[in-house]
Amino acid sequence: MSGKLDKLGEEAREALQATSSLDQLADWRVKYLGRKGAVAQLLRGVGELPPEDRPAFGQAANELKELLAESYDARHEELSRAAAGPAEALDITLPGRPVNVGRLHITTQTLREIYAIFARMGFQVEEWPEVESDLLNFELLNMPPHHPARDMWDTFYVNPKVVLRTHTSPGQIRSMRKHCPDPIRVILPGKCYRYEAVTARSEFMFYQVEGLAVGKRITLADLKGTMVDFARQMFGADRKVRFRCSHFPFTEPSVEVDMDCIICAGEGCRVCKHTGWVEISGAGMVHPQVLRNGGYDPDVYSGYAFGMGPERIAMIKYSIDDIRLFYSNDLRFARQFG
Ligand code: FA5
């Protein structure tokens, strides 16, 4: 009898492999696993066996039935998948879906480039809150209430004593108070806010990078050397830099730092408004009263400071003619700076 079982198993498996449609598979199931199918027929014959052989035969027949049922399920899945047709089939020749890779914003890239240049000159990066007291943003920088110089910065007030910082210069006081009486060489980057009309050159939110060096015997020549070095590393080795007299209440003397226009090499173009020069930074020697406010004795210490706008630097470097492109979230603009 067990020989019959083996033979039936073999025959059933071969027949299963030969099925090529779900209809044929259904017939196969009736033929071998149905109530009147081949396995059931064999089991019915168990009564003809001697009693001692019946349990072993019954067990073997049931095992065969289970095995065939499992094989049936597997074949059913194969044939169903094939029957579903090409729409559901995996077409490995199709090109993959493009994955959108993020990239750094042009401002972030420019800031990092600025950090790297100043790091090579020994400057450390320090950051301060964007919400600043009126005291640090103005008063300790020589602009008491009602001082006309405050008009240079149209201010967002959070309350009468707190502002969204209009420039990064309050970082000078914070940094001096933190490091006094040690020498300082830091850059202080951050967002600034001004309540002013948005134009192609001015945003109401923009970045500045403040620089501050304090120590003994620091002179305007050090500031000049630092600015020239910066301009050449950022824009190219042939850059010329000039200092123009200016006024800031917290520096004395004060200057604007200009660089010859990289677009027209000084010939005159739209970027430099036909002057041949573009402004890259406000700067000056730290005012004695500001040094005092930071805790340093101006008879012993001196220092220079500068404040530059990274968006304007990127505009010069990449010939971007409208600052409003920076923060309008237009991917066509953002994607150009990979
Ligand atoms: C200042 O804010 C001074 N605190 C700079 C300074 C620091 C002088 C230390 C002396 C010593 P000013 O307002 O010029 O200066 O701004 C400095 C730079 O910030 C500008 O050259 C420009 O690059 C950038 N900037 C100013 N306003 C805007 C604006 N609305 N949009 C974009 N960039 C701006």
Side-chain angles (χ1 to χ4, degrees):
M1 279 300 258
S2 81
K4 270 190 181 172
L5 268 181
D6 290 345
K7 209 165 150 239
L8 177 62
E10 212 171 296
E11 180 198 316
R13 272 188 282 269
E14 268 172 29
L16 185 67
Q17 280 312 310
T19 55
S20 57
S21 70
L22 287 169
D23 283 346
Q24 287 179 8
L25 186 66
D27 292 344
W28 178 92
R29 188 179 192 189
V30 173
K31 185 171 173 190
Y32 292 99
L33 295 174
R35 269 198 305 129
K36 293 182 186 163
V39 179
Q41 300 277 1
L42 258 187
L43 269 168
R44 243 170 252 137
V46 73
E48 293 160 20
L49 291 173
E52 65 274 17
D53 291 345
R54 287 178 198 167
F57 179 77
Q59 196 185 343
N62 278 325
E63 277 170 14
L64 175 66
K65 200 172 167 187
E66 271 171 37
L67 274 175
L68 290 180
E70 276 173 26
S71 306
Y72 166 83
D73 288 343
R75 186 72 182 149
H76 189 274
E77 206 179 311
E78 275 170 27
L79 291 176
S80 306
R81 220 181 297 137
E88 292 231 342
L90 179 66
D91 181 354
I92 56 165
T93 65
L94 277 176
R97 293 204 181 93
V99 178
N100 276 326
V101 181
R103 61 200 79 204
L104 293 177
H105 190 275
I106 178 64
T107 304
T108 309
Q109 290 183 38
T110 309
L111 282 169
R112 290 191 181 176
E113 217 173 318
I114 295 172
Y115 300 163
I117 292 171
F118 284 110
R120 288 195 284 274
M121 292 190 239
F123 285 77
Q124 286 179 325
V125 178
E126 286 179 6
E127 288 183 285
W128 308 108
E130 288 165 36
V131 175
E132 187 57 278
S133 66
D134 180 277
L135 185 73
L136 273 96
N137 196 81
F138 291 121
E139 280 193 48
L140 295 173
L141 295 174
N142 285 344
M143 288 174 279
H146 312 299
H147 191 288
R150 286 190 179 212
D151 290 350
M152 282 165 79
W153 295 280
D154 303 297
T155 309
F156 286 110
Y157 279 88
V158 176
N159 66 42
K161 294 249 168 254
V162 178
V163 302
L164 293 183
R165 68 176 168 213
T166 58
H167 54 171
T168 43
S169 295
Q172 292 183 31
I173 303 285
R174 287 180 178 268
S175 188
M176 282 191 267
R177 289 186 171 176
K178 180 174 161 194
H179 296 290
C180 183
D182 296 331
I184 301 176
R185 223 185 292 170
V186 290
I187 52 171
L188 312 153
K191 282 183 195 144
C192 302
Y193 300 83
R194 291 188 192 174
Y195 185 52
E196 61 182 38
V198 173
T199 67
R201 286 177 54 78
S202 299
E203 262 290 358
F204 69 89
M205 190 285 295
F206 55 95
Y207 279 81
Q208 279 189 350
V209 178
E210 190 87 5
L212 174 71
V214 176
K216 293 176 182 165
R217 291 183 295 279
I218 289 187
T219 69
L220 194 67
D222 296 312
L223 171 62
K224 195 169 177 193
T226 307
M227 291 290 102
V228 172
D229 204 6
F230 169 75
R232 292 189 177 158
Q233 290 198 49
M234 190 78 194
F235 296 101
D238 303 328
R239 296 278 64 85
K240 291 193 196 88
V241 172
R242 77 173 184 187
F243 280 31
R244 229 173 344 108
C245 285
S246 187
H247 170 75
F248 296 103
F250 36 90
T251 46
E252 182 57 39
S254 301
V255 292
E256 302 274 2
V257 185
D258 294 346
M259 182 186 81
D260 61 333
C261 179
I262 57 168
I263 310 293
C264 62
E267 294 290 310
C269 69
R270 219 156 56 96
V271 172
C272 62
K273 296 202 197 110
H274 304 281
T275 62
W277 295 93
V278 285
E279 183 191 312
I280 56 167
S281 186
M285 298 306 290
V286 183
H287 193 285
Q289 185 56 42
V290 175
L291 280 172
R292 228 173 267 126
N293 292 343
Y296 288 82
D297 179 353
D299 291 331
V300 182
Y301 293 91
S302 56
Y304 64 76
F306 56 84
M308 54 179 67
E311 292 92 351
R312 296 254 175 98
I313 285 174
M315 287 170 82
I316 300 168
K317 195 161 176 174
Y318 302 106
S319 301
I320 303 165
D321 61 7
D322 196 326
I323 197 171
R324 288 169 289 201
L325 290 165
F326 280 73
Y327 305 116
S328 57
N329 290 336
D330 186 337
L331 284 178
R332 290 170 304 177
F333 174 74
R335 284 203 179 111
Q336 293 177 48
F337 307 98

